[in-house]
């Protein structure tokens, strides 16, 4: 049985021909390379960033930004940093729902503080996400990446709106507009969950 490797996400397919589309990142069959028996480990190093390596001219010095980006990818800066909002957001939205349901000022204030920290973590998460997408996936624009980028944009935008809305109207949960505010929070948690799910699919290949 032949083994084929997706050069975008490194998914391994077994069969006589590569799949029409990568089941993980949706890359077309042309992005698959044939692995010879026993060469998987050797090929790994050669195919992880093929496009970028082709672009780099021999002898051309790496810029400081390149070095920083390589270091961030090597130390998994995106998966690490993304767990700040991914961990805090579900709790924050739950606190907002409880504050709304029980009409609690204390819970409302707690949610406000939480959303400040989530918003502060987003620039780092977005930056490391772009770094990983650039370095590890050669800025691939398959369906998976399009959805993931959209989900990240929706999460970030809704988070910023929730924070600014809280600042402008601290009593929003008591106002008639509270339903819209709650809906915005649910959109935010849905988009964050989708981005996280797709990130997990890329990393774990299942
Ligand atoms: Fe793939």
């Amino acid at each position: 049985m032949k083994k084929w490797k997706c050069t975008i996400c490194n998914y391994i397919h077994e069969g006589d021909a590569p799949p029409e589309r990568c089941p993980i990142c949706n890359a077309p069959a042309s992005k698959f390379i044939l692995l010879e028996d026993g060469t998987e480990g050797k090929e790994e190093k050669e195919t992880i960033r093929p496009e970028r390596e082709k672009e780099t001219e021999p002898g051309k010095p790496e810029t400081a930004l390149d070095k920083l980006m390589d270091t961030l990818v090597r130390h998994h800066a995106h998966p690490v940093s993304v767990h700040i909002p991914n961990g805090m957001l579900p709790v924050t939205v739950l606190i907002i729902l409880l504050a709304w349901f029980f009409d609690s000022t204390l819970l409302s204030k707690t949610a406000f503080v939480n959303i400040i920290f989530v918003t502060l973590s987003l620039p780092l998460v977005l930056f490391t996400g772009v770094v990983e997408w650039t370095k590890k996936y050669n800025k691939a624009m398959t369906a998976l990446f399009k959805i993931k980028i959209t989900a990240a944009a929706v999460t970030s935008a809704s988070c910023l709106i929730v924070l600014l809305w809280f600042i402008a109207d601290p009593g929003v949960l008591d106002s008639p507009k509270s339903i819209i505010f709650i809906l915005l929070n649910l959109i935010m948690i849905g988009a964050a969950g989708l981005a996280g799910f797709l990130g997990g699919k890329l990393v774990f290949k299942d």
Side-chain angles (χ1 to χ4, degrees):
M1 187 75 76
K2 288 176 183 168
K3 279 188 176 181
W4 303 83
K5 181 171 175 171
C6 172
T7 54
I8 302 295
C9 72
N10 295 326
Y11 166 74
I12 304 288
H13 170 81
E14 289 190 15
D16 290 332
E20 226 168 87
R21 289 268 163 192
C22 174
I24 304 301
C25 72
N26 204 39
S30 60
K31 292 286 178 187
F32 277 80
I33 54 161
L34 177 64
L35 292 177
E36 299 302 327
D37 284 341
T39 59
E40 192 178 326
K42 188 180 157 226
E43 288 284 327
E44 183 78 28
K45 282 178 190 159
E46 288 165 12
T47 57
I48 192 135
R49 302 181 311 178
E51 301 299 327
R52 203 186 98 67
E53 282 175 7
K54 263 181 242 163
E55 283 166 15
T56 310
E57 290 169 26
K60 191 181 171 186
E62 253 196 332
T63 63
L65 180 63
D66 263 328
K67 280 182 190 165
L68 171 69
M69 288 167 89
D70 281 335
T71 307
L72 289 172
V73 171
R74 204 164 50 246
H75 295 287
H76 313 291
H78 185 62
V80 170
S81 61
V82 85
H83 281 83
I84 303 169
N86 278 3
M88 288 186 79
L89 268 181
V91 178
T92 306
V93 174
L94 178 65
I95 293 171
I96 285 172
L97 288 171
L98 290 173
W100 182 54
F101 194 76
F102 292 109
D103 200 13
S104 162
T105 311
L106 174 66
L107 289 175
S108 179
K109 282 180 180 171
T110 308
F112 175 62
V113 173
N114 272 14
I115 211 76
I116 290 174
F117 283 103
V118 172
T119 309
L120 287 176
S121 75
L122 288 180
L124 177 68
V125 173
L126 294 176
F127 175 69
T128 56
V130 171
V131 167
E132 187 130 334
W133 175 57
T134 305
K135 291 279 177 181
K136 213 168 165 183
Y137 303 106
N138 300 311
K139 293 188 179 173
M141 237 341 150
T142 60
L144 183 145
F145 289 101
K146 282 180 191 167
I147 297 169
K148 195 171 188 313
I149 290 167
T150 307
V154 170
T155 307
S156 306
S158 45
C159 184
L160 199 58
I161 295 169
V162 165
L163 176 65
L164 295 175
W165 197 339
F166 248 138
I167 293 169
D169 182 8
V172 58
L173 287 169
D174 295 328
S175 75
K177 289 176 185 166
S178 61
I179 291 284
I180 301 169
F181 187 77
I182 294 291
L183 269 177
L184 185 62
N185 274 275
L186 295 178
I187 290 169
M188 174 170 67
I189 197 73
L194 179 60
F197 168 75
L198 295 176
K201 204 174 168 186
L202 271 174
V203 172
F204 299 110
K205 312 273 187 288
D206 57 11

